[in-house]
Amino acid sequence: MTEGGGKQKDNSLAEDAEKNDKSNISLGSSYRGIKRQKYTIWDFLFTFGSMLTFLADLATDLLLSVQYYRNDDYWWCGLTFGFIFVPSIITQAFSIRWYHVDLKGDQGDGQSTDVAKKSSTCKEWFFWGFLHIFQLGPLNRYIMTLWYGWRSRSDPQHYYKMVFEYRDVTMLRLLESFMESAPQLVLQLYIMTRQQEAHWLTATDRKSVV
């Protein structure tokens, strides 16, 4: 009876500790200086819209490169594809590096890292590596941002995971805008001026950048 009562007491203490952890992550509470706020449907829609613009920009760039190739404009095709592929490689490298850093956590700030800790299993590493090889790192981060944000509506611990994931994908988009979007804009404007014509796909591609 004593042993059974001790186990029940330990289980009760563990449940109370878990409840206290979740109650501490209430609205207005902070972690690493970030105050938790309610994740609304508008947050979800704006993030989803940002993901769609990312996909539209990538798709139009690829289609435009193929269009140049079909028109025997191999020089324009090579430059257009180069401004897609090289920045993408650099972006994926930053993304996988930040994922590795996030796994280590920040043990020197004196705060618990369990709130935003990510798993580091072989399965997780294989999954992330597979996505980054196929240049889908930012897309996966968008999906994880949406998933963590939606989960935070019922489980507050996911809010900070969403914040850090969105921070990373925002920085990746910033790098992508300087390394890919801006050079592509200049290149396509030059091609349009040089050829004295604007293909509908070229115009669509530039609108997706702007």
Side-chain angles (χ1 to χ4, degrees), residues 95-103 119 124-125 128 141:
S95 179
I96 199 69
R97 171 59 182 167
W98 292 344
Y99 177 73
H100 176 68
V101 172
D102 289 342
L103 289 178
S119 59
E124 287 285 331
W125 269 111
W128 273 81
R141 286 186 179 275

Side-chain angles (χ1 to χ4, degrees), residues 126-172:
F126 175 80
F127 179 72
W128 273 81
F130 177 82
L131 290 174
H132 284 76
I133 289 175
F134 286 92
Q135 312 302 299
L136 296 176
L139 177 60
N140 181 67
R141 286 186 179 275
Y142 268 121
I143 295 174
M144 295 305 296
T145 299
L146 294 172
W147 188 77
Y148 284 140
W150 196 258
R151 286 291 302 275
S152 70
R153 294 167 64 91
S154 58
D155 187 354
Q157 292 187 0
H158 286 84
Y159 179 81
Y160 299 104
K161 295 180 181 180
M162 181 275 297
V163 170
F164 296 138
E165 204 70 59
Y166 189 66
R167 173 202 61 186
D168 289 345
V169 76
T170 302
M171 288 300 299
L172 291 175

Side-chain angles (χ1 to χ4, degrees), residues 50-62 204-205 208-209:
S50 180
M51 182 179 68
L52 292 182
T53 60
F54 168 76
L55 294 175
D57 183 29
L58 180 61
T60 53
D61 283 344
L62 290 174
T204 304
D205 179 53
S208 68
V209 172

Side-chain angles (χ1 to χ4, degrees), residues 17-72:
E18 184 177 356
K19 291 180 180 179
N20 290 333
D21 289 340
K22 289 188 176 182
S23 63
N24 290 333
I25 312 176
S26 58
L27 288 175
S29 62
S30 63
Y31 173 74
R32 296 185 181 179
I34 303 173
K35 290 186 177 181
R36 179 180 176 266
Q37 301 177 4
K38 184 179 180 180
Y39 188 83
T40 65
I41 187 64
W42 291 108
D43 296 323
F44 182 91
L45 291 177
F46 275 111
T47 304
F48 186 75
S50 180
M51 182 179 68
L52 292 182
T53 60
F54 168 76
L55 294 175
D57 183 29
L58 180 61
T60 53
D61 283 344
L62 290 174
L63 290 174
L64 185 59
S65 181
V66 172
Q67 182 66 32
Y68 286 140
Y69 180 82
R70 295 178 62 183
N71 292 340
D72 297 330

Side-chain angles (χ1 to χ4, degrees), residues 67-80:
Q67 182 66 32
Y68 286 140
Y69 180 82
R70 295 178 62 183
N71 292 340
D72 297 330
D73 294 324
Y74 301 118
W75 181 246
W76 303 138
C77 172
L79 286 176
T80 302

Side-chain angles (χ1 to χ4, degrees), residues 74-91:
Y74 301 118
W75 181 246
W76 303 138
C77 172
L79 286 176
T80 302
F81 184 76
F83 282 132
I84 301 172
F85 187 70
V86 175
S88 180
I89 290 292
I90 298 174
T91 301

